[in-house]
Amino acid sequence: MDITFLQPDGLVRSPAFSHAVVIPPGATTVYIGGQNGVDASGAVVSPDVGAQALRALDNARVALESAGATLDNVVSWTILIDQEADLRAAYGAVAATLARDGAPPLVTAARVAGLGVPGALIEVSAIAATIRD
C-alpha cells in the first residue's frame, strides 16, 4: 500500500505540485491547522515574509511531528499570503525545505486581504498521511 500522487495527462505538469492524491485504507491522516510565522508566545517573528514563511513551515513541522509525521508525509498544502507580501520572497525562503524526492504534494495558494493574526503575512495548513508498518 502506497500513497499515490497523480499528474494525469491533460493537466499541466509541474515539478511543484500534483493534481490528486490517493491515500489507501489503513493510512493515518493528519490535519494541521493554519500556522503563521509566530513564536511560541504568538508574537510575529519578523516583518519579513521570508522569515515568517520559514517560521510558519517550522511550526507546521512541529505540529506534524507531534502526530508522528514529517514534512515528507504532507500530501496537501494550503498557503494564504497577504496581498501586499512578496510571493517570490516567501516561496524562495521555503523552496529548499519543501523539496523532496518523488512526486510533489498538492498545493492550493491564495492571495488574501489579511490574516487573523495582526502583522502576519503568511499562513500555511497541511494534510499529511502515513502508512503504518
Side-chain angles (χ1 to χ4, degrees):
M1 294 191 329
D2 289 324
I3 296 168
T4 306
F5 293 87
L6 304 171
Q7 294 180 314
D9 291 338
L11 296 177
V12 65
R13 288 197 179 260
S14 172
F17 60 87
S18 292
H19 291 283
V21 63
V22 178
I23 300 171
T28 299
T29 305
V30 180
Y31 299 87
I32 303 300
Q35 301 295 312
N36 299 107
V38 297
D39 62 21
S41 73
V44 174
V45 296
S46 170
D48 176 71
V49 70
Q52 285 190 34
L54 283 170
R55 183 57 187 250
L57 201 60
D58 191 51
N59 290 346
R61 180 191 56 75
V62 170
L64 286 161
E65 288 175 354
S66 75
T70 70
L71 290 174
D72 286 338
N73 297 123
V74 172
V75 298
S76 181
W77 287 103
T78 299
I79 304 163
L80 305 176
I81 187 164
D82 186 277
Q83 64 190 3
E84 302 300 321
D86 183 344
L87 183 60
R88 288 183 185 176
Y91 181 73
V94 299
T97 302
L98 292 177
R100 66 184 191 193
D101 293 333
L106 311 178
V107 176
T108 300
R111 303 283 279 184
V112 297
L115 297 166
V117 174
L121 299 173
I122 191 167
E123 185 168 321
V124 301
S125 62
I127 301 172
T130 61
I131 303 293
R132 295 180 211 149
D133 295 328

